[in-house]
Amino acid sequence: MQWNMYMETLRECLAIFIFMLAVALIYAVIDDFSWGSVLTSVGCFIIAYFIWPSKRRGQRNQENRFVDIIEIIIELPVEFFIWILRFIGRIFRNKDGNVDLDIDIGL
């Protein structure tokens, strides 16, 4: 039991560090644009998302509001990207399975 708690804390610290690195790379992109920085930042966000022991996915047992807030912040960029992909998928999906542009413009 004790070992799991230490591993959970280690994963939290590592995910926070990688997330902060991703944010720093975003600021580097704003200062001087580079595709390498953009891709590295996106990769860091994704890695932090998967390393973080999410309570929603049943990987974290402890109750702590501060850690819950950090979880929301770390999972937000990836969840937002997933939400956008689902939204785009719904626009182009037809009810019978065919691909179709399904936007009602109200004319």
Side-chain angles (χ1 to χ4, degrees):
M1 182 68 172
Q2 201 68 293
W3 179 253
N4 288 339
M5 187 177 71
Y6 290 132
M7 285 304 294
E8 193 173 293
T9 304
L10 179 65
R11 287 177 62 192
E12 290 169 353
C13 292
L14 187 61
I16 290 169
F17 174 75
I18 293 173
F19 183 83
M20 289 182 354
L21 178 65
V23 171
L25 286 170
I26 290 293
Y27 280 118
V29 166
I30 290 171
D31 185 41
D32 183 31
F33 184 79
S34 164
W35 280 107
S37 295
V38 171
L39 295 176
T40 306
S41 177
V42 169
C44 286
F45 281 126
I46 292 170
I47 290 169
Y49 176 82
F50 283 113
I51 289 176
W52 182 262
S54 177
K55 184 189 268 186
R56 238 181 349 167
R57 292 180 277 173
Q59 298 172 346
R60 184 165 55 91
N61 297 325
Q62 65 186 5
E63 291 290 329
N64 188 339
R65 281 192 175 177
F66 181 70
V67 176
D68 290 342
I69 292 170
I70 292 174
E71 178 176 335
I72 291 169
I73 293 170
I74 287 179
E75 291 183 349
L76 183 68
V78 174
E79 292 291 331
F80 182 70
F81 183 72
I82 291 170
W83 180 81
I84 288 173
L85 289 178
R86 285 181 184 159
F87 180 73
I88 291 171
R90 286 185 189 132
I91 288 175
F92 291 106
R93 188 174 334 140
N94 196 355
K95 291 180 179 36
D96 55 348
N98 297 331
V99 176
D100 186 23
L101 187 58
D102 193 20
I103 299 177
D104 184 20
I105 56 174
L107 292 177

